[in-house]
C-alpha cells in the first residue's frame, strides 16, 4: 500500500530555475500525425510519461514503428492490414488523447481494434466521437454504451465528409476527427452544435499542427472546421515545454513570495498553460517573459481573483490552490466540463481543499473561496495528476500536508515528487 507523500515545506521565499519536460498535448498530436504521414518523422524532446507511452504503444499496435528509446522519438508510419488474425488491443489508461484520438485512425486499418482503459476511463465521455465516426461510415461495437470498452472494425479507409456533433464536453471530440480527417476519402467537415466548446487553445493547437504537416484546414466559420483530403507530410517536431505542468512551479513563487524562472517559455504558443501569465498577474504576481524564459515573483499576499477558466480548465486545480491561500475572496467560473476529466475535479477540489481548512463553495460551473487559515492533512488525489499538483502548492506553505498518491503525476510528469523535492528552498 502506498504511503502518503509529505510535501516539502518552503520556509522562506524560493529562488529557483526550472527546466520542464515537454508538452504532453503536443507530443501526442505529433506522434499521431507522424504515424499516418507519408514518411518517417522525428519527435524531438518528446515527453516520456504514461500518457505518451500509451500513445506510442497504441500507434505501434496499429502497425507504426515508434522508437521511443531516446529523447528524440523516430516514427515510421504503418497500418495493420487484413492479415491481422486477432483483434488488436489498445490500452487507453487514463489518457483522453488516446481514447479519443486513436479510434479515428484505427478505422484506417483493416483490423478489429479493441479499446479499453483504467476503470475511471469507462465513465469519461466518448460517445459523440463514436457516433460521429459511425456517421462518417465507420463500424464500431460499443453495445450501446457510448463509452469504453468498444471495438473499432477497420476497413482500410473511411468515406468521411460532413458530420455534426456536440463538443461542449471536450474540444478533443473535434480534434480527434480533424487529426485523421485528411486520410478520409472526402476529408471531414465538422460542425459543432451546442454550448461553447471548452479548451479552445487545444483545438487551435490541433489546427496549427495539422497545417505544419501540409494539411489544409478551413476554420474561418465559427463552430465549423473543414479538413481537405490529401497527403500528410512528414515533419520533425521540437516539443515545447509543458506549460500546464509549469503551474505548480510558478504557483510556488506566488505562495512563497519567491521567484521562479521556467526556461524556454515560448514567445508564441497555442498551449493553454500560457494563460498562467495573466492568471498569476491577477493574483498580484510580477510576471516577465524574456529571451531566457518566464519569471514569476510572488507578492506578500495573494489578491483575490474572479476568473473565467472555460478555455483553460486544466489549470483549475493549481488556480484553486492559490485561491484557497489568497487574502481576499475568489471566484473561478466556466469549468463545468472539468467534472468529466480524470475525476470530477470541482467536487474533488471542494472536498479535499475543504478538508485542509479552505472556505470553499462548489458551484455548478466552478468554485468560490473566502479567506481561511489552512491546516495539515492528507489530500486525496482520485487518480488525478492535477490534484497532486494542487496539493504540492498548498503543502509548500502549510505545515504537515501530505499527498495520498503522488505517483499519479507520472501521467504527464515523470518523477514529479523527486523533481519537486530537489528544488532549492524546499525541505
Amino acid at each position: 500500500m502506498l504511503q502518503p507523500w509529505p510535501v516539502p515545506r518552503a520556509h522562506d521565499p524560493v529562488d529557483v530555475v526550472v527546466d520542464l519536460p515537454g508538452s504532453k498535448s503536443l507530443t501526442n498530436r505529433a506522434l499521431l500525425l507522424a504515424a499516418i504521414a507519408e514518411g518517417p518523422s522525428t519527435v524531438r524532446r518528446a515527453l516520456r510519461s504514461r500518457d505518451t507511452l500509451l500513445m506510442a504503444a497504441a500507434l505501434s499496435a496499429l502497425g507504426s514503428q515508434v522508437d521511443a528509446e531516446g529523447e528524440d522519438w523516430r516514427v515510421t508510419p504503418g497500418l495493420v492490414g487484413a492479415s491481422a488474425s486477432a483483434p488488436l488491443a489498445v490500452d487507453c489508461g487514463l489518457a483522453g488523447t488516446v481514447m479519443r484520438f486513436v479510434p479515428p485512425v484505427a478505422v484506417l486499418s483493416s483490423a478489429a481494434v479493441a479499446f479499453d482503459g483504467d476503470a475511471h476511463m469507462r465513465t469519461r465521455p466518448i460517445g459523440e466521437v463514436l457516433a460521429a465516426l459511425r456517421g462518417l461510415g465507420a463500424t464500431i461495437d460499443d453495445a450501446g454504451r457510448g463509452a469504453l470498452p468498444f471495438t473499432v472494425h477497420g476497413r482500410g479507409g473511411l468515406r468521411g465528409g460532413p458530420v455534426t456533433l456536440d463538443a461542449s464536453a471536450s474540444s478533443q471530440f473535434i480534434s480527434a476527427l480533424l487529426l485523421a480527417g485528411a486520410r478520409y476519402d472526402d476529408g471531414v467537415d465538422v460542425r459543432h452544435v451546442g454550448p461553447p466548446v471548452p479548451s479552445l487553445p487545444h483545438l487551435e493547437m490541433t489546427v496549427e499542427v495539422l497545417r505544419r504537416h501540409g494539411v489544409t484546414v478551413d476554420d474561418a466559420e465559427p463552430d465549423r472546421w473543414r479538413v481537405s483530403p490529401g497527403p500528410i507530410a512528414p515533419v520533425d517536431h521540437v516539443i515545447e515545454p509543458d506549460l500546464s505542468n509549469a503551474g505548480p512551479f510558478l504557483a510556488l513563487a506566488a505562495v512563497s513570495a519567491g521567484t521562479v524562472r521556467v526556461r524556454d517559455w515560448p514567445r508564441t504558443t497555442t498551449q493553454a498553460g500560457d494563460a498562467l501569465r495573466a492568471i498569476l498577474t491577477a493574483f498580484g504576481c510580477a510576471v516577465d517573459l524574456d529571451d531566457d524564459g518566464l519569471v514569476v515573483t510572488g507578492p506578500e499576499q495573494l489578491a483575490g481573483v474572479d476568473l473565467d477558466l472555460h478555455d483553460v480548465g486544466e489549470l483549475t486545480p493549481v488556480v484553486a490552490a492559490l485561491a484557497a491561500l489568497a487574502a481576499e475572496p475568489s471566484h473561478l467560473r466556466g469549468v463545468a466540463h472539468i467534472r468529466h476529466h480524470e475525476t470530477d475535479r470541482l467536487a474533488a477540489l471542494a472536498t479535499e481543499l475543504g478538508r485542509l481548512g479552505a472556505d470553499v463553495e462548489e458551484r455548478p460551473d466552478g468554485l468560490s473561496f473566502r479567506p481561511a487559515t489552512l491546516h495539515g492533512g492528507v489530500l486525496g488525489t482520485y487518480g488525478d495528476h492535477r490534484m497532486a499538483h494542487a496539493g504540492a502548492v498548498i503543502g509548500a506553505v502549510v505545515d504537515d500536508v501530505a499527498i495520498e498518491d503522488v505517483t499519479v503525476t507520472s501521467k504527464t510528469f515523470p518523477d514529479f515528487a523527486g523533481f519537486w523535492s530537489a528544488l532549492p528552498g524546499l525541505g
Side-chain angles (χ1 to χ4, degrees), residues 11-78:
H11 295 282
D12 297 298
V14 301
D15 187 359
V16 299
V17 179
V18 177
D19 290 294
L20 291 177
S23 162
K24 178 264 292 184
S25 297
L26 283 170
T27 297
N28 275 356
R29 283 165 172 78
L31 288 173
L32 187 136
L33 285 173
I36 55 175
E38 296 297 297
S41 302
T42 300
V43 181
R44 305 188 187 282
R45 298 180 62 181
L47 171 67
R48 180 180 298 277
S49 72
R50 188 185 184 209
D51 273 21
T52 59
L53 291 171
L54 285 168
M55 178 63 81
L59 298 172
S60 297
L62 292 179
S64 295
Q65 297 177 26
V66 183
D67 181 357
E69 290 301 313
E71 184 181 56
D72 300 337
W73 295 10
R74 185 72 169 169
V75 183
T76 303

Side-chain angles (χ1 to χ4, degrees), residues 100-101 104 128-130 132-133 136 158 163-165 171-182 184 187-191 206 210 227:
R100 293 164 181 155
F101 292 179
E128 288 285 335
V129 175
L130 302 184
L133 287 172
L136 295 171
L158 196 68
V163 67
T164 300
L165 77 165
S171 66
Q172 289 182 357
F173 295 175
I174 296 170
S175 287
L177 300 172
L178 302 186
L179 285 167
Y184 299 164
V188 71
D189 181 351
V190 182
R191 293 177 183 267
T206 296
L210 281 165
V227 173

Side-chain angles (χ1 to χ4, degrees), residues 68-417:
E69 290 301 313
E71 184 181 56
D72 300 337
W73 295 10
R74 185 72 169 169
V75 183
T76 303
L79 287 168
V80 173
S83 60
S85 58
L88 309 177
V90 169
D91 177 10
C92 302
L94 273 175
T97 51
V98 176
M99 178 179 70
R100 293 164 181 155
F101 292 179
V102 178
V105 172
V107 302
L108 299 170
S109 74
S110 297
V113 185
F115 289 78
D116 206 351
D118 293 2
H120 178 68
M121 283 298 277
R122 295 187 174 194
T123 69
R124 294 190 69 180
I126 181 65
E128 288 285 335
V129 175
L130 302 184
L133 287 172
R134 289 190 184 102
L136 295 171
T139 301
I140 300 171
D141 177 17
D142 66 347
R145 289 183 299 270
L148 287 173
F150 56 82
T151 299
V152 174
H153 296 275
R155 293 184 293 184
L158 196 68
R159 180 184 70 248
V163 67
T164 300
L165 77 165
D166 179 354
S168 59
S170 176
S171 66
Q172 289 182 357
F173 295 175
I174 296 170
S175 287
L177 300 172
L178 302 186
L179 285 167
R183 293 291 307 271
Y184 299 164
D185 295 343
D186 298 329
V188 71
D189 181 351
V190 182
R191 293 177 183 267
H192 161 70
V193 292
V197 179
S199 305
L200 282 177
H202 286 286
L203 196 43
E204 293 164 3
M205 177 188 295
T206 296
V207 171
E208 180 183 275
V209 173
L210 281 165
R211 287 173 174 159
R212 286 193 61 194
H213 281 265
V215 175
T216 300
V217 185
D218 180 355
D219 60 348
E221 183 179 334
D223 290 333
R224 185 180 184 185
W225 298 262
R226 286 178 285 183
V227 173
S228 300
I232 297 173
V235 172
D236 291 349
H237 287 270
V238 179
I239 301 300
E240 299 172 359
D242 193 314
L243 306 189
S244 294
N245 273 342
F249 299 94
L250 297 178
L252 177 60
V255 299
S256 73
T259 299
V260 172
R261 175 185 289 275
V262 175
R263 284 199 182 109
D264 299 324
W265 196 282
R267 288 282 187 178
T268 59
T269 181
T270 53
Q271 289 194 63
D274 195 44
L276 286 165
R277 293 193 287 155
I279 290 169
L280 291 166
T281 299
F283 275 107
C285 297
V287 179
D288 181 50
L289 178 62
D290 59 30
D291 290 340
D292 295 324
L294 184 72
V295 181
V296 171
T297 300
E300 289 301 315
Q301 284 191 322
L302 291 172
V305 297
D306 188 341
L307 298 172
D308 186 336
L309 300 176
H310 183 263
D311 286 343
V312 293
E314 68 201 62
L315 305 180
T316 303
V318 162
V319 177
L322 293 174
L325 294 165
E328 299 170 335
S330 292
H331 305 283
L332 311 180
R333 299 175 284 106
V335 286
H337 60 283
I338 72 171
R339 293 187 183 278
H340 304 291
H341 282 194
E342 281 79 348
T343 187
D344 180 339
R345 283 181 172 163
L346 292 180
L349 286 165
T351 299
E352 298 305 319
L353 295 178
R355 285 177 178 165
L356 299 181
D359 187 346
V360 54
E361 180 180 354
E362 179 185 350
R363 298 185 181 276
D365 76 332
L367 300 166
S368 292
F369 293 88
R370 288 170 291 275
T373 300
L374 274 61
H375 54 72
V378 177
L379 183 135
T381 47
Y382 302 77
D384 187 344
H385 58 144
R386 304 289 183 204
M387 290 295 295
H389 291 172
V393 174
I394 297 290
V397 290
V398 175
D399 289 334
D400 302 320
V401 172
I403 293 173
E404 173 199 37
D405 180 8
V406 76
T407 67
V408 297
T409 55
S410 66
K411 176 179 171 68
T412 57
F413 198 124
D415 192 28
F416 171 84

